[in-house]
C-alpha cells in the first residue's frame, strides 16, 4: 500500500490536497493533519471518489466543542469514520488494513489504552500545528515510539507546515513514522516536504515542497 504523508499550510480551501491527488494518482491513501479540512468534508469526499484514494486526517466543526474531529473517507467518497476529539478510539477497516487513530494531543492526554489496538496494522496520528519546543518534539516522538512497540504496529503522524500553538510564534513542523518494532522509518523536523511511503517495504520517497 502506498501512503502519501503531507504537511500542508493551513488554508480555507483544500487546494493542496487536490494538487497532491492530481500529482500522485497511484497512491492508495493520503494522510494529512488535524483540522486541515476545516468544514470542507463534502469536497474531500468528492476528491476521494474522483481520484479513487482513501483520505485520513482531521476536520473542524466550528460550532461544536471540541471542534476537532478525525475522519477516514474511503476511495468511494464515503465517510467511514468521524470521531470527535477526546472520545474513545476504535479500529476501522481501511481496505486490507485495520487502522487505529490518535488525534493530536490525545497522544499525551489519553493515548489509546485499548487492548483492541494490539490488532491494528497502522495507527494514524493527525497533528494540528507544529511543536512549540524541542522538548515537546522529543516527548511526542518518544510516546509514539512506545505505542508502536506496545501494539506492534506502524504509526504515522503529521502536522501542518505552519501555525503555532497558542499564538506563541514558535512552530516546529513534525512528521514521523515508526514501524511495528519502534524503529524509525522517518522523522521530519522542520522539513515539510511531502513523503511517499510503501507500507510493505518501508521505503520512503521525499517528493517536493
Amino acid at each position: 500500500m502506498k501512503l502519501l504523508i503531507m504537511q500542508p499550510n493551513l488554508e480555507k480551501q483544500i487546494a493542496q490536497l487536490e494538487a497532491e491527488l492530481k500529482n500522485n494518482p497511484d497512491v492508495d491513501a493520503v494522510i494529512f493533519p488535524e483540522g486541515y479540512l476545516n468544514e470542507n468534508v463534502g469536497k474531500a469526499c468528492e476528491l476521494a471518489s474522483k481520484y479513487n484514494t482513501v483520505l485520513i486526517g482531521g476536520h473542524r466543526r466550528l460550532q461544536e466543542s471540541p471542534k476537532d474531529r478525525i475522519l477516514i473517507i474511503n476511495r468511494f467518497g464515503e465517510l467511514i469514520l468521524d470521531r470527535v476529539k477526546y472520545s474513545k478510539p476504535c479500529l476501522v477497516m481501511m481496505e486490507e488494513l485495520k487502522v487505529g487513530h490518535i488525534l493530536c494531543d490525545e497522544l499525551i492526554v489519553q493515548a489509546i489504552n485499548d487492548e483492541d489496538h494490539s490488532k491494528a496494522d497502522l495507527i494514524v496520528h493527525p497533528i494540528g500545528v507544529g511543536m512549540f519546543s524541542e522538548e515537546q518534539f522529543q516527548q511526542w516522538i518518544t510516546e509514539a515510539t512506545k505505542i508502536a512497540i506496545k501494539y506492534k504496529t506502524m504509526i504515522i503522524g503529521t502536522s501542518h507546515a505552519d501555525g503555532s500553538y497558542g499564538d506563541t510564534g514558535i512552530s516546529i513542523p513534525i512528521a514521523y513514522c515508526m514501524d511495528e518494532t519502534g524503529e524509525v522509518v522517518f522523522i521530519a523536523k522542520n522539513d515539510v516536504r511531502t513523503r511517499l511511503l510503501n507500507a510493505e517495504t518501508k521505503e520512503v520517497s521525499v517528493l517536493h515542497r
Side-chain angles (χ1 to χ4, degrees):
M1 176 169 279
K2 294 180 180 179
L3 305 174
L4 192 78
I5 299 100
M6 60 182 293
Q7 296 181 76
N9 291 322
L10 292 162
E11 61 176 340
K12 292 183 179 179
Q13 305 302 321
I14 50 175
Q16 293 161 94
L17 174 60
E18 187 167 9
E20 293 288 10
L21 291 167
K22 185 180 296 184
N23 294 333
N24 301 280
D26 61 337
V27 300
D28 298 294
V30 178
I31 299 173
F32 50 86
E34 175 194 49
Y36 168 69
L37 292 185
N38 288 306
E39 297 186 304
N40 297 302
V41 176
K43 175 64 173 178
C45 289
E46 293 175 8
L47 292 175
S49 176
K50 178 179 179 179
Y51 291 99
N52 193 37
T53 306
V54 175
L55 302 180
I56 310 172
H59 72 108
R60 288 195 174 107
R61 290 185 180 174
L62 299 179
Q63 70 277 16
E64 297 183 6
S65 181
K67 61 182 180 294
D68 287 305
R69 308 173 74 94
I70 190 167
L71 57 70
I72 298 178
I73 302 169
N74 68 19
R75 64 175 71 244
F76 306 109
E78 300 166 337
L79 192 61
I80 61 173
L81 174 70
D82 185 7
R83 176 177 74 81
V84 67
K85 194 172 185 177
Y86 306 130
S87 62
K88 184 180 179 181
C90 60
L91 288 181
V92 178
M93 285 303 302
M94 184 194 80
E95 313 281 305
E96 69 271 19
L97 299 181
K98 294 178 181 176
V99 179
H101 38 87
I102 310 169
L103 193 59
C104 200
D105 65 344
E106 287 183 340
L107 177 75
I108 303 300
V109 174
Q110 67 182 44
I112 292 177
N113 298 322
D114 183 355
E115 291 305 320
D116 285 346
H117 279 74
S118 61
K119 302 172 186 176
D121 300 302
L122 169 67
I123 294 175
V124 291
H125 180 207
I127 304 166
V129 297
M131 305 288 94
F132 57 77
S133 68
E134 294 285 344
E135 290 76 16
Q136 186 196 20
F137 190 99
Q138 292 303 322
Q139 179 192 28
W140 284 39
I141 290 295
T142 298
E143 290 302 315
T145 302
K146 289 178 182 177
I147 288 172
I149 294 170
K150 178 178 179 179
Y151 294 104
K152 299 180 176 62
T153 184
M154 179 177 284
I155 181 168
I156 298 172
T158 187
S159 78
H160 288 96
D162 59 350
S164 61
Y165 177 78
D167 297 320
T168 60
I170 302 170
S171 176
I172 305 172
I174 180 174
Y176 69 84
C177 175
M178 281 76 174
D179 71 12
E180 65 279 3
T181 69
E183 289 296 312
V184 173
V185 178
F186 73 84
I187 296 176
K189 178 181 178 183
N190 271 326
D191 179 354
V192 297
R193 291 175 293 177
T194 296
R195 286 168 169 77
L196 180 62
L197 168 67
N198 185 315
E200 285 77 28
T201 65
K202 300 173 188 173
E203 293 178 292
V204 182
S205 302
V206 178
L207 301 184
H208 61 81
R209 180 58 190 171

